[in-house]
Amino acid sequence: MRLESFFNILKDKLKLDLNKTNYFLTNPNFLGGWEVWLQCNIGYAFSLYDAVTQLQREICYPSGNAANPYLNFKKNANPQVTLVSNQNSASRCDFLIKKPDIGVSDDTYIELKCQNSNRTVQEAWNRFAEDIVKVEELTKANNTLNCISLLCTYEQFDQNQMARLIDLFDSGTRSSFVLDFESHNPVLTRLKNVKTGGMPRTMIIGCALNRIR
């Protein structure tokens, strides 16, 4: 599934409890991960769009090679991606959105990072950037993979910050969309067009290679 299509479905079907997201994102007493909660909400949103859509968690990245059917990614290794035969050695996505079809299924491998109060906004963006590099390297090893990296954050943007983010995440080979929950009717925009200033709010940012956008 292309990134823009993915976000159009979220815009129409994802109904987040913003009291909960704001708590998860910002409350200093909440230090645990909440990615699974958001995964479940995303999965439910896609089920409203198409009832046969499946959500699967922790799925191995496939290599397309029969002898070594999985991919392993290690960011400090050279090469970073290797083909492996054992699922226990394989890298796994956070979750998979799968739409079964006759003959061919539509599989979207998703990496998700969610901000917590015990990490700075910059740390959340750094982890998001690492996910993007990971899926891009995996895609080089298997160019049939369709991968999306997501970040859920609570913030606002200023012009100086936006210029840097656009250069990193919404130019060249990458495209990014933002679902901005400034109101209860979230606004979908490209990262380069997102509204700056205003009050901090929940946002979901997605990035993917242009060819699968």
Side-chain angles (χ1 to χ4, degrees), residues 23-37:
Y23 172 78
F24 295 151
L25 286 160
T26 65
N27 192 290
N29 294 320
F30 183 82
L31 302 177
W34 59 284
E35 286 86 353
V36 175
W37 180 88

Side-chain angles (χ1 to χ4, degrees), residues 78-112:
N78 186 15
Q80 291 181 305
V81 178
T82 54
L83 279 63
V84 296
S85 60
N86 191 329
Q87 289 191 35
N88 293 330
S89 301
S91 294
R92 298 172 182 265
C93 66
D94 288 320
F95 65 107
L96 171 75
I97 295 290
K98 183 180 183 74
K99 182 181 176 183
D101 202 347
I102 298 175
V104 179
S105 63
D106 183 0
D107 296 352
T108 304
Y109 296 83
I110 300 167
E111 298 289 337
L112 172 65

Side-chain angles (χ1 to χ4, degrees), residues 113-185:
K113 290 292 182 286
C114 292
Q115 184 181 328
N116 287 324
S117 65
N118 60 335
R119 288 194 175 98
T120 66
V121 171
Q122 185 58 57
E123 286 175 319
W125 278 92
N126 290 345
R127 296 172 70 228
F128 178 49
E130 289 177 354
D131 275 350
I132 294 168
V133 171
K134 172 185 174 180
V135 298
E136 287 180 350
E137 291 301 316
L138 290 166
T139 302
K140 290 177 185 178
N142 179 358
N143 63 14
T144 68
L145 289 176
N146 183 10
C147 303
I148 292 174
S149 300
L150 297 178
L151 169 66
C152 187
T153 182
Y154 185 84
E155 60 179 300
Q156 53 155 285
F157 298 117
D158 61 42
Q159 291 291 347
N160 292 332
Q161 178 193 27
M162 183 55 62
R164 184 179 64 83
L165 294 178
I166 290 170
D167 184 58
L168 288 172
F169 301 109
D170 204 2
S171 63
T173 61
R174 298 171 178 173
S175 292
S176 291
F177 282 82
V178 178
L179 195 58
D180 185 345
F181 292 87
E182 186 177 24
S183 68
H184 288 280
N185 295 309

Side-chain angles (χ1 to χ4, degrees), residues 16-28:
L16 289 182
D17 183 332
L18 296 180
N19 290 325
K20 288 183 178 179
T21 63
N22 293 351
Y23 172 78
F24 295 151
L25 286 160
T26 65
N27 192 290

Side-chain angles (χ1 to χ4, degrees), residues 29-48:
N29 294 320
F30 183 82
L31 302 177
W34 59 284
E35 286 86 353
V36 175
W37 180 88
L38 184 54
Q39 290 175 29
C40 292
N41 278 268
I42 291 172
Y44 182 66
F46 274 87
S47 77
L48 296 177

